[in-house]
Amino acid sequence: MEHAADEQTIMNLIMAGGNAKSSAFEAIYAAKKGDQETAKAKLKEADEFMVAAHNAQTDMLTQEAQGNHVQVSLLMVHAQDHIMNAITFRDLAGEIVDLYGRLD
């Protein structure tokens, strides 16, 4: 039996992904200015947002594994897109922060 994913869960995924990406971008900006301390703090903040997203995804995957199939909506696809982009951006930001640190 299919059920729709909770809209609040979906919105939490979108917000967590957007917040993680924003924090990662702030990390790059701080590193560019030579502020490695802030850059690393912003990367940690991005990671915390990603943990929140991961936990929400894990809950949905657990439900799916238990036979409670989630109906996939455009909003759910949008949320997953945000998460995937945030993961990629966070990984890249970590490399850029490291590079700026080596250049200083």
Side-chain angles (χ1 to χ4, degrees):
M1 174 180 224
E2 286 193 4
H3 71 281
D6 180 89
E7 282 190 31
Q8 185 62 48
T9 300
I10 293 172
M11 294 310 291
N12 287 343
L13 285 171
I14 292 169
M15 288 187 333
N19 289 339
K21 186 176 175 187
S22 292
S23 293
F25 192 88
E26 290 173 13
I28 293 170
Y29 184 71
K32 187 175 181 179
K33 291 178 15 182
D35 185 354
Q36 283 289 315
E37 185 177 326
T38 298
K40 290 180 187 211
K42 287 296 180 178
L43 289 176
K44 185 176 182 206
E45 184 176 273
D47 291 341
E48 290 167 2
F49 285 121
M50 292 309 306
V51 166
H54 175 75
N55 290 340
Q57 283 182 318
T58 299
D59 289 343
M60 287 188 297
L61 289 170
T62 299
Q63 289 295 315
E64 184 79 21
Q66 293 173 347
N68 300 319
H69 300 291
V70 174
Q71 181 181 13
V72 178
S73 66
L74 183 56
L75 194 57
M76 173 61 81
V77 171
H78 181 66
Q80 294 302 320
D81 188 42
H82 267 272
I83 299 304
M84 288 173 37
N85 283 321
I87 291 168
T88 302
F89 201 86
R90 166 47 187 100
D91 290 345
L92 185 58
E95 294 298 319
I96 293 171
V97 167
D98 183 56
L99 180 59
Y100 273 118
R102 290 174 187 229
L103 292 175
D104 279 346

